Amino acid sequence: MTETNLGPNGWVLLQQAGTNDFLTLNELASPAFDPSQTVLLADLPAAPNPPATTTNENSGTVEYTSYAPKDIKLHTQAATPTVLLLNDKYDPHWSVTVDGKPAPLLRANFIMRGVYLPAGGHAVEFHFSLPVRPLYVTLSAIVAGILLCGFLFVLTRNPNTPEKN
């Protein structure tokens, strides 16, 4: 288990801004951008009470309770509503739950994952799962190809030749 203070090099960032990709990349490249204080979101979260101002105060802690390639569990404690920034690559096949309830997965800082957290303690779980529909389509195409090859083989066989007396 790892516990992390959420201060200058932390994960929970108080200032948030919704932008488009071009503006996000420009802002990330700007020398004035401070990744320890700002997270850039592709879409603003549906936050009931977003923080009004930013602060340099320690806003909370994050503790890993489990870290596996497809399942990450964290326990957080935040003094104010905030965005938890997980510095792992964003993929829409990730899902996130906060206290066992589904929450919107946020694309943060162009390529990372995030989730909005209200103030207080929370159990956060990120889970990755690929949809199975493409697998079924592929398997169906393979079976159809095999059946078609078998059908063509049967059609191209020489018909029974008459017996010679």
Side-chain angles (χ1 to χ4, degrees):
M1 288 188 217
T2 304
E3 187 169 307
T4 305
N5 271 337
L6 303 177
N9 294 319
W11 290 8
V12 177
L13 307 169
L14 299 178
Q15 183 180 352
Q16 53 194 8
T19 65
N20 66 35
D21 289 344
F22 178 75
L23 294 176
T24 297
L25 290 173
N26 281 342
E27 182 68 22
L28 288 170
S30 168
F33 178 71
D34 183 3
S36 67
Q37 295 300 316
T38 305
V39 61
L40 302 175
L41 302 173
D43 297 305
L44 287 176
N49 297 317
T53 60
T54 61
T55 178
N56 286 333
E57 294 179 21
N58 182 356
S59 58
T61 59
V62 172
E63 181 181 333
Y64 284 95
T65 55
S66 172
Y67 192 97
K70 293 184 179 183
D71 193 49
I72 301 167
K73 295 178 184 175
L74 308 162
H75 180 43
T76 67
Q77 183 66 41
T80 62
T82 191
V83 171
L84 172 70
L85 175 66
L86 186 62
N87 285 319
D88 280 345
K89 185 179 180 301
Y90 174 87
D91 187 290
H93 296 114
W94 281 94
S95 62
V96 62
T97 59
V98 176
D99 298 327
K101 298 174 187 155
L105 179 68
L106 304 174
R107 187 168 63 109
N109 292 354
F110 192 69
I111 61 169
M112 297 172 198
R113 297 192 305 265
V115 63
Y116 172 78
L117 297 175
H122 302 285
V124 179
E125 181 175 359
F126 290 88
H127 182 75
F128 183 80
S129 64
L130 286 172
V132 294
R133 187 169 186 244
L135 173 66
Y136 293 145
V137 170
T138 302
L139 289 175
S140 298
I142 290 170
V143 168
I146 290 171
L147 290 174
L148 182 60
C149 287
F151 181 70
L152 290 174
F153 178 74
V154 169
L155 282 180
T156 58
R157 285 182 55 193
N158 290 337
N160 291 342
T161 55
E163 293 184 22
K164 295 183 184 178
N165 292 344

